[in-house]
Amino acid sequence: MKNVLKFGGSSVAGPSQIRCVVDIVRGYEQPCAVIVSALGGITDGLKNIAQKALTGEHAPLVNELRDRHQRVINDLLTPEANLRASDYLEGRIAEVDIICRGIHMLQELSDRSLARMLSFGELVSSFIVTEAIKEVIPTCQRIDARKFILTDDKLMKATVDRAQTTLELKSIFSNINSVAVIPGFIGATKNKVTSTLGRGGSDYTASLIAAALDVQELHIYSDVSGMLSANPRAVIQAKNIDHLSYNEAFELSHFGAKVLYPPAIQPAYEKNIALLLKNTFDPTHPGTRIDMFPSENPEIVTGISSIDDVAMVNLSGIGMIGVTGYSSRVFNALHQHDINVIMIAQSCSERGICIAVDKGDVHNAEHALQLAFEEEIALKRIDPIQLEENLSIVALVGDGMKFRSGVSGQIFSQLGNYNINIRAIAQGSSESNISIIIDSKDEMRAIKKLHEKFIEKRLAQINLFVLGAGNVGTAFLNLLDKSKDAIASKYGVELTICGLSNSRKMVLDGTGIEPENALERLGRTKTNSDLNKFLEFAVSIHSPNRILVDNTASDATTTIYNEALARGIHVVTCNKRMASGPFEHYSELLQTMAVNKSKFYFETNVGAALPMIQALSNLVDTGDTVHKFQAILSGSLSYIFDQYDGLTPFVEVVKEAGKLGYTEPNPQDDLSGLDVMRKMVILGRAIGLEVELEDVVKSNDLPEECQQAEGKESFLSTLTNNESYFKAKYENAKKENCKLKYIAEYSNGKLQVGLQAVNQTHVFYTLEGTDNILAIYSNRYKNPFIIRGAGAGPENTASGVLTDILRINSWK
């Protein structure tokens, strides 16, 4: 036998469904065994007919039974096949009618009568399916399972004689070379009395055949594409599980996953036959493969399932401590009353045992234990038995739990974050299952949150509200577009722009603005920029993960920082105006940040993406004392004085630096030293100095006319007028084999900046292009701790801004 396929009731529920079955069977290599269940819902209908027969009210239901099957036959089969199937149907309906009359006459519904009644469903469905397959595979034949499934006399839940059944199967199927259709669920005793195999009976039939015929795989078709990672009613994002070990599959099935009934699969499991759970209506879907082997790189949790309507019986008392035999007495008492224990948890002190049972058994369980421990309860060695109802069990299953520490702690933490209380917890000996008992009202929410934590690994959405669309702003949008997927993969976060504004317009969209077309949307919007409305929109997005990103050099934008931090919105900025502004405002901002646990990151204020501020702060925070630092803090000035050779006019070099995005919008801020002075204030505050901008001593390195200029164009004009001044500076340095560098220095408690000529022995002599450098001297670093790299450019600054965003870890 090449293939064994089983189709459940939903797969043969009607004509269209059976046509899907035919198409699937046609695609398999022959010989092939096809096991089918009754049409969906028929077995329950037959049970109802048998009950109604006691009162003689069965006739209308028998007619409905006939009509449903006849409609399927009429819609599905050709006239010739229709005639054969209709004749067979009428013969089986006649049997049902005779059985019902017997039940009514004797006023007794015996197991023998009911088993024969229930066999109708599979017998008729298998006949119809056989006739349908014959239309495309004429050699298809039907084999009655009662010829080879041999059972004992427990007719409603018969035990199969595995050895004899296997012999019969091998004999019958040795001559099968085509498709054989077999009714599932039914068998027969040695006296040819019809029996049924109980829950999962058709799966059991298929499993028996697969095991006896030594196939490699058993394909089980239903109306779902295998097992899901969780109940889709609780988790919309539940996904199909591609692969499970038998161990995982059995654990999930025990705790509520209905696709598989483990006892029914035992024959296949014993023979190491792989199961494929497939979808009749989506046959190309790979479904779920179940075999003996765990995944090569198993996830910690593969799936989550649950059982509701659970109750807990608590047996406790100091008299139990150190006394052997209590557990065996508990199980024996429950066994005598036919009560199934779903889960058990015992305290380490041996003072208590918690037993989870079906809520319908809880009072019987209480009574059983009351009788078993009557003496100990009377002597108060054991406390009165306590019952807790309206509980559910949630089970997390995965082979990846083995040898993985901290899983229980993660479960406690995740549920604790959502105020879901755990009443009891147990871990199976296989180490592939952690089960928890919680209130039923929390069941769906617990499954959802645990699924998010362990299976979805859902990306935390970080909502960005971006100010500025100039050089740095544009570079930031481009960088975000290029790196968002890598960031999502590495950090588990999705950076979503919800607001974008320049000085004239703004776009607000809580669903997200794609960075690749953000500038285009900003260009066509008719909404005028309004900082207060921009902030209020950010506040209206109810999420702890909101960041105001200021990529401007504006004083105006800093006015909303404090309010943003107070409203729980983090601030990341390359704008130096706040961190270098009045110390009173800066201090107030830090206080707001501390009170509201919001973050204010501005590393790019100095050195673009270089961690200069962080380096100084870390030294001080860890107890070091910074005595001195020297720095070149302006990438623009580094570039300008490195490129100026006395031949190209100084003003042209400045303009080129502006085009490359190295200077402030008005290069006067750079050349006046004001930008470096601001950076020195920021670095000074990083080591604990309460300094203001006016505390920084600046040398006069620009002609008076340049210092007095107002506006960018006026300033550039003065540079042209004073070309001889800059050329003389250059020539004088060159004569001394020196280079001009704009150096910032802290020493003896003073901050100062100015243009200096440095010779070849100076550590700054070799600095080129837009590079910045910081040399720190402290108690720990007698030889300087040096940070060096590109300190200007929109791309470098944008990368520093993005780094600051990722430093904020409130979502992790």
Side-chain angles (χ1 to χ4, degrees), residues 17-78:
Q17 293 89 335
I18 295 175
R19 289 189 186 98
C20 292
V21 171
V22 173
D23 288 340
I24 291 169
V25 172
R26 183 165 48 180
Y28 276 88
E29 185 179 356
Q30 299 176 25
C32 181
V34 177
I35 297 88
V36 296
S37 298
L39 274 60
I42 289 297
T43 301
D44 287 339
L46 288 164
K47 290 178 182 178
N48 190 32
I49 289 172
Q51 290 293 329
K52 293 293 185 181
L54 289 168
T55 58
E57 301 173 291
H58 58 278
L61 298 179
V62 173
N63 288 334
E64 289 178 13
L65 182 70
R66 173 195 287 111
D67 291 346
R68 179 178 173 189
H69 286 83
Q70 191 63 59
R71 284 195 300 271
V72 172
I73 292 170
N74 292 343
D75 290 346
L76 180 67
L77 301 178
T78 62

Side-chain angles (χ1 to χ4, degrees), residues 524-695:
R524 59 184 168 85
T525 186
K526 296 181 180 180
T527 304
N528 293 328
S529 178
D530 185 316
L531 283 173
N532 290 325
K533 289 182 180 178
F534 191 84
L535 179 59
E536 285 306 313
F537 179 75
V539 171
S540 72
I541 302 295
H542 297 293
S543 165
N545 307 327
R546 296 164 297 173
I547 305 176
L548 178 69
V549 182
D550 185 5
N551 290 324
T552 75
S554 168
D555 282 313
T557 56
T558 67
T559 60
I560 64 171
Y561 287 6
N562 201 60
E563 179 67 13
L565 293 169
R567 306 291 286 271
I569 300 172
H570 308 296
V571 176
V572 169
T573 181
C574 61
N575 187 342
K576 294 178 279 292
R577 301 306 175 102
M578 173 56 74
S580 65
F583 186 80
E584 179 183 357
H585 296 167
Y586 173 75
S587 180
E588 180 184 359
L589 200 71
L590 297 185
Q591 182 64 26
T592 301
M593 181 178 71
V595 169
N596 294 280
K597 297 182 180 180
S598 42
K599 304 289 177 64
F600 174 45
Y601 285 158
F602 49 95
E603 187 64 57
T604 50
N605 282 194
V606 182
L610 299 175
M612 293 183 173
I613 301 171
Q614 192 174 354
L616 285 168
S617 295
N618 288 346
L619 289 176
V620 174
D621 291 345
T622 57
D624 199 1
T625 300
V626 176
H627 303 293
K628 174 183 175 180
F629 62 77
Q630 288 183 309
I632 291 179
L633 299 176
S634 173
S636 57
L637 294 182
S638 288
Y639 176 84
I640 290 168
F641 287 110
D642 186 59
Q643 293 296 309
Y644 182 57
D645 58 5
L647 300 175
T648 302
F650 188 77
V651 69
E652 295 302 322
V653 176
V654 172
K655 287 179 180 179
E656 181 63 21
K659 289 179 183 178
L660 294 172
Y662 296 156
T663 69
E664 295 294 310
N666 183 353
Q668 187 175 15
D669 287 349
D670 299 281
L671 286 162
S672 68
L674 180 60
D675 183 61
V676 178
M677 290 172 68
R678 288 192 177 114
K679 292 176 180 179
M680 280 300 283
V681 170
I682 294 168
L683 293 182
R685 290 173 178 176
I687 62 172
L689 303 180
E690 296 186 7
V691 291
E692 303 285 3
L693 189 61
E694 53 267 27
D695 295 326

Side-chain angles (χ1 to χ4, degrees), residues 133-167:
I133 294 175
K134 278 183 177 180
E135 295 183 8
V136 294
I137 306 175
T139 54
C140 173
Q141 59 182 294
R142 175 176 172 270
I143 302 175
D144 192 331
R146 294 175 293 185
K147 292 182 178 180
F148 56 82
I149 302 290
L150 306 178
T151 75
D152 63 9
D153 294 326
K154 296 178 180 178
L155 303 182
M156 286 307 298
K157 191 177 181 182
T159 299
V160 174
D161 183 337
R162 294 274 300 277
Q164 190 61 38
T165 295
T166 298
L167 289 174

Side-chain angles (χ1 to χ4, degrees), residues 274-295:
L275 302 182
L276 263 68
L277 308 182
K278 304 270 289 178
N279 190 339
T280 304
F281 314 113
D282 187 10
T284 60
H285 192 288
T288 300
R289 180 182 179 85
I290 302 171
D291 55 35
M292 299 299 292
F293 310 105
S295 301

Side-chain angles (χ1 to χ4, degrees), residues 27-28 38 59 63 103 121 139 141 171 180 231 241 317 372 406 421 470 478-479 491 518 545 644 661 753 766:
Y28 276 88
N63 288 334
I103 292 170
T139 54
Q141 59 182 294
S171 174
N231 183 343
I241 303 173
N421 185 40
N478 292 336
L479 180 62
Y491 294 96
N545 307 327
Y644 182 57
V753 301
T766 59

